[in-house]
Amino acid sequence: MGSPEANLSEYKTHLLSICINSTYEMSWSGFKKAINRAGNQVLLKAGQIDETVDLEFDYEEKRYRAMEKSSEKLYKELRRYKETLASLSTAQSNVSDVLAGFYGQDNEAESIAKEYNEATRSISAETLEGLGQPFLQTVLNPIDRFNSYYVDMNEAIKKRAHKKLDYDSLRNKVRKLSDNPDAEPASEIKLKDATAQLASAEEVYERLNGQLKSELPRLMDLRISYLNPSFEAFVKLQLRYFSENHRHLNEVQKHVDAKTRADFKSGKLEKRLDDILGKVKELNIAS
């Protein structure tokens, strides 16, 4: 069994073989087919043409659509996650800039604010930027590549729908000619031609339908082995980012006085803050 990349490439080859001749040239023949299909689609919706139903294909397509929606949403949310980290880093830097000026000439507080400012800048310049390229290479790009296969698959499904409509309309035509025979020789010729066209349309539809019923489950199966490495990379990159954040901020914490650190651990810091707020309220200007 090959690697997920190799398996997906092999799948691409199979998918392309299905999609051969699925593009439509803007020829007179193609235009007439499009017009005929539009008319037949109206008749189908009106119940004047019996529609071929394949429950197995319908089930596989439903699963495929759910996967398509989920993986496209996954890519979108991962991009948003990356952008959110950048926004968080920018916000940290902005807060540290404000704090650096907020404490003024208070040497102890100014020193801590300066350390925090340097820490946030290091997080932005080193940690976040260092994750950018690995995040693209191991998370976003592989998922984007996987999602690109939906274009070809959707084209094949669209082609199947067209071939099914052709088959159903010819089946309806043959049935009408058979149910209403005409004594004229031309009628017999029409029936013979329509029957031959029906046999050809049925062969094309059944072949494409069978290929899709085989390929749709294959794509579903490939998603796990292909996307698992990206998920693992995503978790590791998160761990790396937040570990670096913790390391930098932990260095800042070391510059906080011992009493404040002890009060924070014991829960007394909140009471100290309440006491300070109480003193602020006692000021005439705060009344």
Side-chain angles (χ1 to χ4, degrees), residues 101-154:
F102 179 78
Y103 283 110
Q105 300 301 315
D106 186 328
N107 292 334
E108 182 180 355
E110 183 183 21
S111 175
I112 297 173
K114 183 179 179 181
E115 290 291 335
Y116 179 67
N117 186 266
E118 291 177 355
T120 57
R121 291 187 179 281
S122 294
I123 291 171
S124 178
E126 299 171 12
T127 307
L128 186 62
E129 291 184 14
L131 290 179
Q133 196 62 27
F135 195 88
L136 283 174
Q137 291 178 344
T138 63
V139 180
L140 283 181
N141 288 349
I143 295 175
D144 188 40
R145 185 186 173 209
F146 185 84
N147 289 349
S148 71
Y149 286 81
Y150 295 136
V151 176
D152 292 330
M153 180 58 79
N154 288 336

Side-chain angles (χ1 to χ4, degrees), residues 87-243:
S87 297
L88 174 62
S89 180
T90 299
Q92 282 181 314
S93 296
N94 291 342
V95 168
S96 69
D97 288 341
V98 174
L99 285 174
F102 179 78
Y103 283 110
Q105 300 301 315
D106 186 328
N107 292 334
E108 182 180 355
E110 183 183 21
S111 175
I112 297 173
K114 183 179 179 181
E115 290 291 335
Y116 179 67
N117 186 266
E118 291 177 355
T120 57
R121 291 187 179 281
S122 294
I123 291 171
S124 178
E126 299 171 12
T127 307
L128 186 62
E129 291 184 14
L131 290 179
Q133 196 62 27
F135 195 88
L136 283 174
Q137 291 178 344
T138 63
V139 180
L140 283 181
N141 288 349
I143 295 175
D144 188 40
R145 185 186 173 209
F146 185 84
N147 289 349
S148 71
Y149 286 81
Y150 295 136
V151 176
D152 292 330
M153 180 58 79
N154 288 336
E155 188 62 36
I157 291 174
K158 179 181 177 182
K159 180 181 178 183
R160 173 196 177 272
H162 287 170
K163 298 305 179 183
K164 182 166 79 78
L165 184 59
D166 293 344
Y167 169 57
D168 288 342
S169 62
L170 282 167
R171 194 156 49 98
N172 183 65
K173 182 178 180 180
V174 169
R175 180 176 58 80
K176 285 185 175 180
L177 289 172
S178 299
D179 292 346
N180 301 285
D182 196 317
E184 295 183 7
S187 177
E188 186 176 343
I189 294 174
K190 284 183 180 180
L191 177 58
K192 184 177 180 181
D193 289 344
T195 302
Q197 291 175 29
L198 174 61
S200 176
E202 181 178 15
E203 190 275 330
V204 171
Y205 163 70
E206 291 293 350
R207 182 178 68 251
L208 181 56
N209 189 56
Q211 287 176 321
L212 283 172
K213 287 196 293 185
S214 172
E215 295 302 323
L216 283 170
R218 281 192 64 200
L219 183 59
M220 292 290 296
D221 293 340
L222 282 172
R223 79 191 191 281
I224 301 299
S225 60
Y226 183 81
L227 295 179
N228 264 353
S230 291
F231 176 64
E232 182 179 348
F234 176 57
V235 173
K236 288 181 177 178
L237 288 171
Q238 284 187 92
L239 178 62
R240 176 180 162 188
Y241 175 77
F242 289 109
S243 295

